[in-house]
C-alpha cells in the first residue's frame, strides 16, 4: 500500500487497519511511517456463509 492524499501530501501517521469480513477481527493495524508505504501479508479466510 502506498498512502497519499488527493492533495499529493504524504500520509505520515495515518492509520492502516485491515479487518476480517468473516470474523470481524482486526488483522493488521499500524500507522504509516515517513515513507507512507507498507507491505502486508493478508491471510486467506474461509468463504462467507449466507
Amino acid at each position: 500500500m502506498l498512502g497519499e492524499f488527493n492533495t499529493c501530501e504524504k500520509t505520515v501517521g495515518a492509520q492502516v487497519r485491515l479487518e476480517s469480513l468473516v470474523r470481524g477481527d482486526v488483522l493488521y493495524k499500524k500507522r504509516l511511517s515517513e515513507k507512507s508505504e507498507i507491505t502486508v501479508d493478508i491471510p486467506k479466510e474461509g468463504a462467507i456463509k449466507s
Side-chain angles (χ1 to χ4, degrees):
M1 283 182 238
L2 179 60
E4 185 176 88
F5 293 114
N6 62 357
T7 58
C8 296
E9 293 179 78
K10 294 291 183 180
T11 55
V12 176
Q15 187 177 83
V16 174
R17 180 175 158 163
L18 300 178
E19 189 174 311
S20 167
L21 295 175
V22 176
R23 295 185 313 263
D25 299 343
V26 175
L27 304 174
Y28 182 85
K29 181 178 168 181
K30 189 173 182 179
R31 295 205 176 270
L32 291 176
S33 67
E34 186 70 31
K35 291 187 343 179
S36 295
E37 183 177 325
I38 57 172
T39 302
V40 179
D41 291 326
I42 300 173
K44 292 186 179 195
E45 296 188 288
I48 299 173
K49 296 180 182 177
S50 318

